[in-house]
Amino acid sequence: NCQYIGSWFGYDANDNVSWTSQAVGSNSAAGTMLLELPGFDVTFGGLFDVVNVTGNLKGAWARTGGNTFSYAAMGFATDVEGDAVWAVRLTGDVTVTGDCDVLEVENTWMSIFILDPENDPVPVWGRTPDIGPMPFPPHNGYRIEP
């Protein structure tokens, strides 16, 4: 049984460097994760006027089989006044393969919630997303070794 716990360096479906992540946990069954997406267009092609975004998505993961895991991560962006504009939820499945050093990322979906504090349920993902879910093609990551 390979572990998901560790640090990973990832590529998109075109083999461009696109993300880093870190999975931690007190055991191999579940834990928390950080996912950083440098260079990601936080304006979504100019759709949103944001000035700040969470530096990385924060989430949780759980083992679903011998070498398979599922995750969900969240982040948000704010406008010039500091008000939250959108929240993003990324979900997916990963399989640790090779010598436990390759991460196959599949079934990745991104949902965007345009925030309305007066009408949103808590938590916000309790409602239908405003945009998405949008799929991402399968891609790989590689364990960062010491």
Side-chain angles (χ1 to χ4, degrees):
N1 287 332
C2 291
Q3 302 290 322
Y4 178 44
I5 294 172
S7 296
W8 301 89
F9 192 76
Y11 294 78
D12 64 17
N14 297 317
D15 292 330
N16 296 309
V17 173
S18 65
W19 56 269
T20 60
S21 73
Q22 184 175 36
V24 297
S26 58
N27 59 50
S28 64
T32 59
M33 65 176 287
L34 299 174
L35 176 62
E36 188 169 8
L37 304 166
F40 184 77
D41 178 11
V42 298
T43 70
F44 291 92
L47 184 62
F48 298 104
D49 185 19
V50 298
V51 297
N52 194 17
V53 65
T54 51
N56 47 43
L57 305 181
K58 289 143 179 91
W61 61 270
R63 184 182 290 272
T64 57
N67 291 350
T68 60
F69 306 85
S70 288
Y71 68 89
M74 298 287 299
F76 68 96
T78 61
D79 62 17
V80 70
E81 288 142 14
D83 294 326
V85 175
W86 57 253
V88 64
R89 181 170 172 85
L90 191 69
T91 60
D93 300 310
V94 298
T95 303
V96 181
T97 64
D99 289 330
C100 300
D101 58 352
V102 177
L103 191 66
E104 296 176 357
V105 184
E106 301 176 315
N107 302 318
T108 304
W109 296 90
M110 178 181 283
S111 297
I112 302 167
F113 302 88
I114 300 170
L115 300 175
D116 177 8
E118 294 180 16
N119 297 308
D120 281 340
V122 175
V124 70
W125 59 88
R127 70 167 170 87
T128 302
D130 296 294
I131 301 171
M134 300 173 288
F136 285 84
H139 54 280
N140 290 332
Y142 300 88
R143 187 179 296 280
I144 298 172
E145 299 288 339

